[in-house]
Amino acid sequence: MIPLVLILGTVGFRALGALGVRRFTTWPVAAAHAMAVMLVLTASAHFVPASVTVMPNHADMVRMVPPFLPYADALVYLTGVLELLGAAGLVISATRMLAGYALAALFVGLLPANIHAAVAHIPFAGGEATPLWQRIPEQILYLAVALWVARTSRATAPVKEEVYA
């Protein structure tokens, strides 16, 4: 479901660019905005109370944290905040490159939790656990898009034109 948000969001934002919305005239910028939408959705689960069962919630996220990591509860809140900051960074042109690289590092850091959740069969929102064969390619997709956005973004300052009389 979440990879579809990224894929369809990228196509949707790029379609807006083709229709004349100048902000979305390139694929990397469209992907950056789609990833920002995806991150807002995924980050929200970090803060949803356990009583909410229609979507992944904070308790689900805490169970994903590998047992060797301390302060699982705090780590879930921290990663949620980092995802939201990454989303904001992606939509601001001047911070897009830094946000892309930071998110790539975050996705690598989250890989052990995703592996643990798959191997330990940790369910989300009362449903079945996502299998490892699905989680790893998803993480690779997110990592690849974050790096692509970062590498194709240029934080450029406005060019001052000098007029010679």
Side-chain angles (χ1 to χ4, degrees):
M1 164 70 179
I2 293 298
L4 282 177
V5 171
L6 177 58
I7 294 165
L8 295 177
T10 299
V11 171
F13 283 123
R14 186 60 192 94
L16 288 173
L19 292 172
V21 179
R22 286 185 286 169
R23 181 149 188 96
F24 307 120
T25 57
T26 68
W27 283 102
V29 171
H33 284 75
M35 181 167 271
V37 170
M38 179 200 81
L39 287 167
V40 168
L41 292 173
T42 59
S44 66
H46 293 73
F47 307 101
V48 172
S51 58
V52 176
T53 58
V54 295
M55 66 179 283
N57 58 46
H58 182 77
D60 290 330
M61 304 303 276
V62 169
R63 283 192 300 276
M64 283 183 65
V65 177
F68 63 84
L69 291 174
Y71 311 109
D73 197 54
L75 285 173
V76 168
Y77 285 124
L78 175 63
T79 55
V81 168
L82 291 174
E83 287 182 13
L84 291 173
L85 289 172
L90 287 174
V91 297
I92 300 169
S93 299
T95 58
R96 188 170 297 135
M97 183 169 33
L98 176 62
Y101 285 127
L103 284 167
L106 179 64
F107 294 143
V108 169
L110 293 175
L111 192 57
N114 282 289
I115 292 170
H116 171 69
V119 171
H121 303 290
I122 296 172
F124 256 28
E128 293 293 317
T130 307
L132 189 59
W133 65 263
Q134 183 179 342
R135 282 187 180 270
I136 298 297
E138 284 179 12
Q139 286 297 116
I140 291 170
L141 171 67
Y142 305 150
L143 177 64
V145 171
L147 289 173
W148 178 50
V149 165
R151 292 174 59 96
T152 56
S153 296
R154 300 285 180 248
T156 56
V159 176
K160 253 188 172 176
E161 292 186 28
E162 294 185 29
V163 179
Y164 297 99

